[in-house]
Amino acid sequence: MNLTPDIFTISSQKQFEKIALKVFRYQYENNLVYKEFCDFLKTNIQKVKSLEQIPFLPIQFFKSHKVVSSSNTVQETFTSSGTTGMVTSKHFVTDITLYEESYRKGFSQFYGNIEDYVVLALLPSYLEREGSSLIYMVEDLIKMTNNPESGFYLHNHEELIEKLIRLDNSGQNVILIGVTYALLDLIESKKFQLKNTIIMETGGMKGKRKEIIREELHEQLCQGFGVAAIHSEYGMTELLSQAYSLGNGVFECPSWMQILIRDTEDAMTYVGEGKSGGINVIDLANINSCSFIATQDLGKKNPNSSFEVLGRFDNSDIRGCNLMVI
């Protein structure tokens, strides 16, 4: 069954639900880990008629099992970051073009033509390890800008500071994508007044700094970079799609990705808009692994289908891409 052409052309909730239910049945038949999980829950597949009735696989399964819905050869293995000795998640990707189409179309949906930007990346802790899906995405976006000014920075802050100021003063649209602690390190070296630059944080202190609440973090970054809002990316090793926040920590999903908020006491029931609970993600680009994932993040959904990330469950591992905890 090839649903790939349909996934990225979804234009209505009805269409999303129809394709999601097809993907659910496909993954039940083709993903042994997911099938065993559904069977353990005694799920009657024929009675699943809505998104809320679909079982969501706990994200921890990506640490202990090979979660695949395809018999094709694995082309890339993305791994989560973690401290020494920590068990990391592995996402086995059998069709890397699905990931590329997802993040390219997702970026375009929120930011327009990539060639209108210079992309600068300050992601030292990701660059220093293998298997980062974030590095794979950003490296490709950098190439797609077709601009020699785009590139990665590790610890060479002086060079980055000079380039940021020069490009911003010239009127060039810039996106600086950075891991949180590295962005804070940068504004301790230099205070900016940027007019044409988007600052996008990917979360994560990596044990380098004390975790702080998002409002405080964004206030520091806004003051340090001289910008009105801080953008954020919500993604993880186990997903092939990203949600974006254009400010205030309010995230929106591309049309093939949706969020449900589950009750923290009962994983099979859901809470209404404005109420906090566990974040369940439907990522239809994950058709070759699992599209229905119960994360360890806490959040709430807004009336317009946007959502906010409020923190993490207390007993969950520290994740490289975690956002600021409340």
Side-chain angles (χ1 to χ4, degrees):
M1 181 179 69
N2 185 14
L3 286 170
T4 306
D6 300 328
I7 289 169
F8 298 112
T9 58
I10 290 171
S11 58
S12 69
Q13 180 61 20
K14 186 176 179 181
Q15 189 184 9
F16 182 92
E17 291 186 15
K18 184 179 178 183
I19 293 174
L21 287 167
K22 282 185 182 177
V23 169
F24 161 65
R25 292 189 181 95
Y26 170 77
Q27 292 184 339
Y28 178 79
E29 295 295 335
N30 293 277
N31 185 326
L32 182 61
V33 172
Y34 187 55
K35 183 180 190 303
E36 288 181 353
F37 176 70
C38 291
D39 290 347
F40 176 77
L41 296 177
K42 296 183 169 55
T43 306
N44 185 330
I45 305 306
Q46 304 311 315
K47 288 188 176 178
V48 174
K49 305 290 186 186
S50 70
L51 301 182
E52 289 79 8
Q53 292 172 318
I54 294 173
F56 282 74
L57 187 74
I59 200 164
Q60 299 95 310
F61 275 71
F62 283 83
K63 292 184 176 181
S64 55
H65 296 76
K66 187 174 183 178
V67 183
V68 290
S69 299
S70 169
S71 58
N72 292 338
T73 304
V74 173
Q75 296 178 350
E76 292 282 342
T77 302
F78 292 129
T79 57
S80 62
S81 55
T83 56
T84 304
M86 182 185 286
V87 178
T88 57
S89 290
K90 287 186 170 62
H91 190 172
F92 299 96
V93 181
T94 58
D95 184 357
I96 196 64
T97 64
L98 268 174
Y99 183 43
E100 292 167 350
E101 188 166 8
S102 178
Y103 65 67
R104 288 171 184 174
K105 285 194 160 127
F107 180 91
S108 177
Q109 188 171 321
F110 292 100
Y111 294 99
N113 188 348
I114 186 68
E115 292 188 0
D116 293 339
Y117 298 92
V118 163
V119 173
L120 303 176
L122 185 59
L123 301 164
S125 40
Y126 292 93
L127 275 177
E128 292 165 341
R129 69 176 184 83
E130 294 290 319
S132 166
S133 56
L134 179 64
I135 293 297
Y136 188 100
M137 176 180 81
V138 174
E139 190 169 31
D140 188 49
L141 292 176
I142 284 171
K143 287 176 188 167
M144 288 177 65
T145 65
N146 289 320
N147 193 313
E149 297 278 17
S150 294
F152 283 99
Y153 289 81
L154 199 56
H155 303 293
N156 42 340
H157 284 182
E158 288 184 13
E159 188 182 338
L160 176 58
I161 289 167
E162 181 278 323
K163 182 174 277 193
L164 263 177
I165 294 171
R166 175 170 54 81
L167 290 173
D168 193 82
N169 287 341
S170 74
Q172 170 67 54
N173 292 325
V174 177
I175 296 180
L176 173 61
I177 302 175
V179 65
T180 305
Y181 79 83
L183 292 174
L184 290 170
D185 288 348
L186 188 65
I187 58 173
E188 285 182 359
S189 302
K190 172 73 179 176
K191 293 289 186 284
F192 298 85
Q193 284 298 321
L194 301 172
K195 301 179 185 65
N196 301 295
T197 300
I198 291 169
I199 307 298
M200 184 186 294
E201 56 101 0
T202 66
M205 289 300 194
K206 300 273 185 184
K208 306 276 186 178
R209 285 172 176 258
K210 181 172 172 254
E211 297 279 351
I212 56 176
I213 63 170
R214 179 188 54 76
E215 287 83 358
E216 186 183 338
L217 165 71
H218 283 203
E219 185 180 344
Q220 287 182 29
L221 292 175
C222 281
Q223 289 177 356
F225 286 105
V227 296
I230 300 299
H231 294 221
S232 305
E233 179 252 7
Y234 180 76
M236 55 191 74
T237 301
E238 301 86 354
L239 301 178
L240 293 186
S241 300
Q242 302 78 31
Y244 288 100
S245 166
L246 307 190
N248 301 317
V250 177
F251 290 88
E252 292 186 49
C253 297
S255 57
W256 54 91
M257 176 185 181
Q258 284 190 16
I259 299 296
L260 298 176
I261 305 296
R262 69 182 184 273
D263 190 308
T264 54
E265 302 298 321
D266 180 0
M268 296 303 290
T269 62
Y270 293 91
V271 300
E273 293 166 353
K275 293 185 177 177
S276 62
I279 294 178
N280 283 4
V281 179
I282 302 175
D283 181 6
L284 298 180
N286 267 21
I287 189 166
N288 293 324
S289 54
C290 183
S291 290
F292 311 98
I293 297 174
T295 77
Q296 293 174 322
D297 293 326
L298 290 164
K300 67 177 181 179
K301 203 167 177 180
N302 299 322
N304 62 354
S305 293
S306 65
F307 70 100
E308 297 173 47
V309 181
L310 303 176
R312 311 266 297 151
F313 283 97
D314 289 339
N315 61 350
S316 60
D317 296 335
I318 298 169
R319 176 190 298 285
C321 283
N322 71 330
L323 287 133
M324 300 302 95
V325 294
I326 291 294

